[in-house]
Amino acid sequence: MSATHKWVYEFGTQVTDGDAKMKNLLGGKGANLAEMASLGLPVPPGFTLTTEVCTTFYENERTYPETLAAQVETSLKNLETATDKIFGDANNPLLVSVRSGARASMPGMMDTVLNLGLNDVTVKGLGELSGNRGFALDSYRRFIQMYANVVLGMSHHAFEDILENHKDDNGYYTDTEMSADNWAALIEDYKKAVRAELGKDFPQDPKEQLWGALSAVFESWMNDRAIVYRRLQDIPASWGTAVNVQAMVFGNMGDTSATGVAFTRDPSTGENTYYGEFLINAQGEDVVAGIRTPQTLTIKARKEMGETDPSMEEAMPVVYQELADVFAKLETHYCDMQDIEFTVERGKLWMLQTRSGKRTAKAALKIAIDMASEGMITEDEALLRVEPNSLDQLLHPTLDENAPRDLIATGLPASPGAAIGEVVFSSDEAEALAKAGHKVILVRTETSPEDIHGMHAAEAIVTARGGMTSHAAVVARGMGTPCVSGAGSVRINYETNSFSVAGRIINKGDIITVDGASGQVFFGSVDMVQPEMSGDFSTLMAWADRARTLGIRTNAETPTDVETAKGFGAEGIGLCRTEHMFFEAERLAYFRQMILAEGLEDRVVALDKILPIQREDFAAIFRIMGDLPCTIRLLDPPLHEFLPQTETDVKAVSEATGVSVRELMERAKELHETNPMLGHRGCRLGISYPEIYAMQARAIFEAQALVAKETGVEPVAEVMIPLVSSAKELEILKEVIETVAKDVQGEQGREVVYTIGTMIELPRAALRAADIAQHAEFFSFGTNDLTQTTFGLSRDDAGKFLPDYVSQGIMEKDPFVTIDQEGVGDLVKIAVERGRQTRPDIKLGVCGEHGGDPASIEFFHNVGLNYVSCSPYRVPIARLAAGQSAIRAANRT
Amino acid sequence: MSATHKWVYEFGTQVTDGDAKMKNLLGGKGANLAEMASLGLPVPPGFTLTTEVCTTFYENERTYPETLAAQVETSLKNLETATDKIFGDANNPLLVSVRSGARASMPGMMDTVLNLGLNDVTVKGLGELSGNRGFALDSYRRFIQMYANVVLGMSHHAFEDILENHKDDNGYYTDTEMSADNWAALIEDYKKAVRAELGKDFPQDPKEQLWGALSAVFESWMNDRAIVYRRLQDIPASWGTAVNVQAMVFGNMGDTSATGVAFTRDPSTGENTYYGEFLINAQGEDVVAGIRTPQTLTIKARKEMGETDPSMEEAMPVVYQELADVFAKLETHYCDMQDIEFTVERGKLWMLQTRSGKRTAKAALKIAIDMASEGMITEDEALLRVEPNSLDQLLHPTLDENAPRDLIATGLPASPGAAIGEVVFSSDEAEALAKAGHKVILVRTETSPEDIHGMHAAEAIVTARGGMTSHAAVVARGMGTPCVSGAGSVRINYETNSFSVAGRIINKGDIITVDGASGQVFFGSVDMVQPEMSGDFSTLMAWADRARTLGIRTNAETPTDVETAKGFGAEGIGLCRTEHMFFEAERLAYFRQMILAEGLEDRVVALDKILPIQREDFAAIFRIMGDLPCTIRLLDPPLHEFLPQTETDVKAVSEATGVSVRELMERAKELHETNPMLGHRGCRLGISYPEIYAMQARAIFEAQALVAKETGVEPVAEVMIPLVSSAKELEILKEVIETVAKDVQGEQGREVVYTIGTMIELPRAALRAADIAQHAEFFSFGTNDLTQTTFGLSRDDAGKFLPDYVSQGIMEKDPFVTIDQEGVGDLVKIAVERGRQTRPDIKLGVCGEHGGDPASIEFFHNVGLNYVSCSPYRVPIARLAAGQSAIRAANRT
């Protein structure tokens, strides 16, 4: 980059040279501060070091671009001019905050330093300027504490302990009791502590302080919790963060000062009412940290919550009105619900941040639909506003109103949804138990960024302290995890691993039910009911259906799943896994008999027993799906998967089948494979034992005849051959199926209508798609297996190193969750192109789990597939994602 | 195909409408019969049903093209005109042979019918025409026997038994004692046997006989032994066979008649002397069957063999001279050594077949070099004449002349080479034992096409009966398997599973040594010596080196293998598998300690012990290879491969390492993978445990320094990272290696020179070659793993179904032997193209086993790789194959 490259952008100074569109360069916070400054809103002036500084920093072994220092110097000068204060000046000192601000919001993940510029000299100037020496000294001690922690790497607790000692010595209970002299004495002890631990004095030079803070914030981009958060939120490390240096304003300058956070609409329900919290005489961090319980913004909210402390509307009516005007202005300007941070310094309102507000799925839905109705955004825009994955929250059960329940605690309805699980008290334990298959509820006094992994693992989160914008609440909403925060009656004893509430003791491992929508916690498990798919939800789905061109099918085989998927709008079955039908006990016995058969004759005897069962399986599906297409995959997994594993199992099978234990063990050994994933499975079984596929084809065709006779509707059967690697395999097996079809046609005296296609799930199949399409009327991409073979990566084994791979940036995302467009996707593209060359009207779909992943769906839309197929509960998500993909594609052209 | 499509071609009639170039259409035999007819050689006239008839036959459910019958009818008429005989005529009957003739010779694999046209009426005409009723009746009974067997599916033995009974009844010992009346009586019994078994009479209508025989021969294209032979010889089923219908000539019309086979040069040594065998008063099948021991062709040969029966040169001097003229004419015409079948009917010579003669590798080499010296062919042509795989025969040890030996039998030197193994007497057993890892020698009275699988499994073959052109001899030479045929003193008792020779009993399982070059069989094992690579061999290699553009490297890591490969002309090491270095006991202990290490520190302790060993491993290689490049692959296989498997093993390791048995078992369980092929291996280990790769890199760089100091020659190290699937992996590991290089550079005070590259062995690596090439100075295609992942096929597990796949024509060849050009090859092409896009001078090689397979080498030449790397013994094969590939590519342009 050239010597004149611009690394620093200013806002609220003489020239604001950024705007909201420059998010990638200035980060969300910086871009929006610039935008607000340009809108004439009261923004404390400052400047932004761009995300390019961050990426350059990491690309050059953590060193800054040469020209950065000079640009910071210039902007600092301009900031002094704008504020009419001087950085480090004894009488009129400029104080600044240094905050990270990435492209995507990462609340609490990176470091912040406030009150920077204070030292033994400037603190006196601040005392005189503010007329409040105690405030100035309190600010200084806060700065020392924060700076020592964030920049110098000292523990927070060391300082907290010193403060506690000072309070104890003076017999104080709260911080507010501390006098100016008390703070001054405390500061001396703070500085001693720094000297003792680091062997040098706390830095007094404001410039040194500034550069220390800048580096600490840039470094924090790579701290562990930021890395974990990015992984969970799919944020690439390569984006980098910007850093904002902004003139300080103080919400803690007495009772005419305050600080608060607000949403222009209710982020939980989406209601069009202001929503927020504020604290009088406090700094911003006090609200977010959840240490003091904040007051409501509006009278309406206060009444609803049953609070007695006055709302801001009552306590500061003038500033409240000013704030409400800002809300209206911002929402109209941004055309979206805003999440705002503000400070009132001695009656003057300052805007510290605005951004699109995080919201629950329910709120996102309502806000999008409402704003479209209000004419603020178009239908297409509304559709793009709802994150498809978030719908998951709306599709799951809620508590049955009529179910008996044992209420033990009530807190704030911090994140909606209901969940049942066993109580755990540490995030590590939550993660470990969840990995072992337990459903856990994380119960904490409060959460911190260090708890991210446990929060992610938990079914729900309960905290004893903190408001609706506390860490727990914000993160839980982002994750779509139910959360009750500030359940004040809950007293947790981490030592005994239990909590007490109203005289009852709840122990680790006890089952509780959490209802995040009502803020209630129940002992034991409470019955749930299915969600209703109406109102805003069905409006959104209708818009999505209108927009999308991709068909949406489902992967299902049980009547329950098929019904669910159809209810969610599935337009067909994209993958019916016939082998899943055999895990039920009686069937499994026949299936095992088939596997254990010595030769063709024995196998046919067993298959004859399976035939009527399988026929009825298919008939049940056909009855539900009517004239919608059903893709039925013939037997796929290695046979040994069905063999008994444990000794008891083996004995039972031996008794049931009459095959000796020894023979059973031998057969199992014979079927054992070194790499079953790459073994004798899929169509390879069909080639070796065509009688199995013949039986399944017969079951399909006979079921078709049966259901057509019963219902008068002709079922649409698509017979799918798995794991093909060459055209010849398909050709041979197609003949087997066609022969059966002819036979059934003769027996039933009616035409058997079906198509035959194949899974494309091996690299060779993708490469040979032109040949294979000669025999296939459809392709269904099995992207799970295609990912395994393309990467040479077993999904069963990758757990050991895949997390390392994601954290080291080798893979941006888990390729089993979101399709690897560059590699696996390249093969999909090749197959689409080559398949259509041979057969222009070939039907192309995907039935891997990627079919339910929005990012993957967008890729499938763009490469021109005809449909995606996903699990039943993901059908609405896929509908929305497909709609969004179509809109975005249209917008690009 | 159009109605006028030509299905039948004639030769030796008024018009000969084929020639030698039409092998694909007319088969080898048919094309050469036409060619010989055109050359004016005495060929019995006839016509050929093309290979298209065969392929059409199989494509249409075994039915013939509509217009075939009429074309056969016309050609039969023309044949009658040419021979002046009438098919089915009572007085002057035309008799024909019906023989298969595929594109590639498949000796004895398909069916043949002779003397066709004989029936109760025409046999009388033949008797009168030949003046020999006995001959005519003998011919008729032979025809009945052959036709009943080949066309009607009756067992040969039934007829043999009837013949034996007739001889016994008459007190005869040999067939020649049978009188005309005896034959007539036998024929009645033969016909009765047919009627009894089939319920209908032996067909008397010659046309019915003809169509029956044609169908039988076409059907025999798909008999089991033909399928097995094609698989072994890489002949596609889709080629089909032609069928030749030819006027009969008789070598069994008395003492002025004879039949024989000959080679224009010695097919065993390549000497430029006629070589062959003949039998007076016999039909052709008698020679091939090895039932009567034939006489030599020349006086010289008779003397050398110590025979007393006159040679053809002595017994039939005039015809012999005529034959010698034909030899000269044919060799000059075809510019190659010919394998000829001839018949003398009452003093008149008839040529029944000519084709390029099969020969040993030694003979192929000598003939090619000689013919080039004689100016008959060019150097390039000579190079193309030697089948690269056949060189294998010349590269392996022969018996040490000075070694003590215990000669037990002598036979004919039917196929050169020496082998040691345990005696087996059945082909099934040979196959089973070989599969179980035994080296076996198949000992049989004589072999038949049913023995193919056993012959293929055996190290060597010994037969008690049969000449140099017997089934055993011909097939063994084709396979490159040592063979001693006609060891007459050996008497085999299949019941006791032993053979006696000169009073000694040799039992199944006893070890014997076979020297196919001398025709000797020894008891016990005889010491071997390495072959000398001089003379014709080095001439050929020099020509190949001049022609080729592909470099040839070797896959080797032990000093012995590295020495061997260098001796064979390897120009570098393409793959040094560092993990192979750890299977030796002491090292394995350290290696296991490393694997079992609890954490980084423990692992480093173990690695420090491995470092000096590994350094010396590399130093040993560098010393041998001098300034030739050595590609060293860092640790590749899953760690659990090195863990102790058995209980005793575990205990031993526990004692050696101090790790408890329980811990060992746990660690093994922890390391266990469902699909190790797709698991935590290759560079994934390097990502998880960079200290392992760092140790290996250090060992390489330190060994370089050591050897450079010792020898003054700077070793050329190429460090190779395995199993890469993304550029990022390579980038990370490259940094690890570069850091070590810098360290060693500092420590040694000398520049460390090396390159870093990667294996391309996963589909994703091939697809992302453009990115990966940014960090790789070379690619080495690991086509073994690339084949596994592209097909989704585990080599360890494919054994269960791959043979079915080849036999059902799903795969033409085993893709682990010859690269699958269409699928795996497509990925190689993609990677070459994309890799060179980024880095035009990237070095590209292959180190999978395909690097030693001639067909694959040709592909690698054509896609433009820089080198192939193969096992030491395949280096000369690869040099020749690379030379041929270059010549063929040049010829194409």
Side-chain angles (χ1 to χ4, degrees), chain B residues 516-536:
Chain B
S518 70
Q520 292 176 307
V521 181
F522 307 95
F523 187 76
S525 76
V526 179
D527 288 350
M528 305 265 189
V529 288
Q530 296 300 319
E532 255 191 85
M533 303 290 115
S534 56
D536 291 341

Side-chain angles (χ1 to χ4, degrees), chain B residues 39-99:
Chain B
L39 283 175
L41 298 180
V43 172
F47 54 88
T48 305
L49 279 68
T50 68
T51 54
E52 289 177 355
V53 176
C54 184
T55 51
T56 308
F57 179 75
Y58 282 107
E59 278 162 15
N60 294 283
E61 296 172 359
R62 310 203 176 198
T63 59
Y64 291 117
E66 266 178 47
T67 51
L68 179 69
Q71 293 187 22
V72 167
E73 198 61 34
T74 305
S75 293
L76 194 57
K77 278 270 164 294
N78 293 341
L79 184 54
E80 289 175 339
T81 307
T83 54
D84 205 14
K85 293 179 178 174
I86 307 292
F87 197 49
D89 189 83
N91 302 314
N92 187 24
L94 167 65
L95 303 186
V96 297
S97 63
V98 177
R99 293 175 207 256

Side-chain angles (χ1 to χ4, degrees), chain B residues 352-623:
Chain B
L352 295 185
Q353 167 148 310
T354 191
R355 59 185 175 193
S356 282
K358 294 211 175 196
R359 62 205 80 179
T360 62
K362 192 177 162 194
L365 192 57
K366 180 159 175 53
I367 291 169
I369 303 279
D370 284 355
M371 285 189 169
S373 320
E374 290 160 22
M376 198 181 279
I377 57 177
T378 65
E379 268 183 27
D380 280 1
E381 282 165 347
L383 211 54
L384 293 174
R385 286 287 168 83
V386 182
E387 164 54 42
N389 275 327
S390 73
L391 292 185
D392 207 30
Q393 295 175 39
L394 305 180
L395 302 176
H396 284 286
T398 50
L399 295 190
D400 180 354
E401 276 183 43
N402 303 316
R405 56 192 68 193
D406 175 7
L407 183 68
I408 50 174
T410 302
L412 300 173
S415 177
I420 300 168
E422 52 188 88
V423 171
V424 293
F425 296 101
S426 93
S427 288
D428 288 347
E429 202 160 8
E431 193 182 36
L433 282 168
K435 269 193 185 152
H438 293 239
K439 292 187 180 305
V440 297
I441 311 259
L442 181 64
V443 180
R444 302 277 302 163
T445 303
E446 55 190 323
T447 63
S448 72
E450 278 80 15
D451 289 313
I452 287 287
H453 62 297
M455 297 172 79
H456 204 255
E459 300 291 312
I461 299 152
V462 176
T463 67
R465 285 202 276 179
M468 289 293 286
T469 51
S470 66
H471 178 265
V474 170
V475 173
R477 280 200 296 274
M479 288 176 174
T481 303
C483 176
V484 171
S485 68
S489 56
V490 167
R491 283 177 209 290
I492 297 165
N493 186 333
Y494 289 116
E495 286 186 5
T496 60
N497 260 325
S498 64
F499 70 85
S500 63
V501 58
R504 294 170 70 170
I505 303 288
I506 316 293
N507 291 304
K508 197 190 100 171
D510 285 350
I511 299 295
I512 62 173
T513 300
V514 174
D515 183 6
S518 70
Q520 292 176 307
V521 181
F522 307 95
F523 187 76
S525 76
V526 179
D527 288 350
M528 305 265 189
V529 288
Q530 296 300 319
E532 255 191 85
M533 303 290 115
S534 56
D536 291 341
F537 182 84
S538 69
T539 305
L540 188 81
M541 284 294 112
W543 293 356
D545 290 348
R546 204 148 61 213
R548 74 185 159 89
T549 55
L550 268 179
I552 309 293
R553 297 196 188 185
T554 191
N555 302 347
E557 43 278 322
T558 65
T560 314
D561 277 359
V562 174
E563 286 277 18
T564 303
K566 203 183 170 201
F568 281 148
E571 299 162 318
I573 289 177
L575 178 64
C576 165
R577 288 150 292 206
T578 52
E579 62 274 8
H580 280 207
M581 297 169 161
F582 292 104
F583 283 114
E584 188 259 320
E586 188 204 4
R587 296 151 171 234
L588 189 55
Y590 293 139
F591 202 82
R592 282 174 169 162
Q593 197 180 336
M594 189 271 286
I595 297 168
L596 295 165
E598 275 299 312
L600 176 60
E601 257 178 68
D602 289 355
R603 198 156 36 245
V604 169
V605 168
L607 285 169
D608 283 347
K609 289 191 206 145
I610 297 175
L611 174 65
I613 301 176
Q614 183 105 87
R615 182 173 55 221
E616 188 41 42
D617 287 333
F618 297 141
I621 292 172
F622 289 149
R623 281 186 200 105

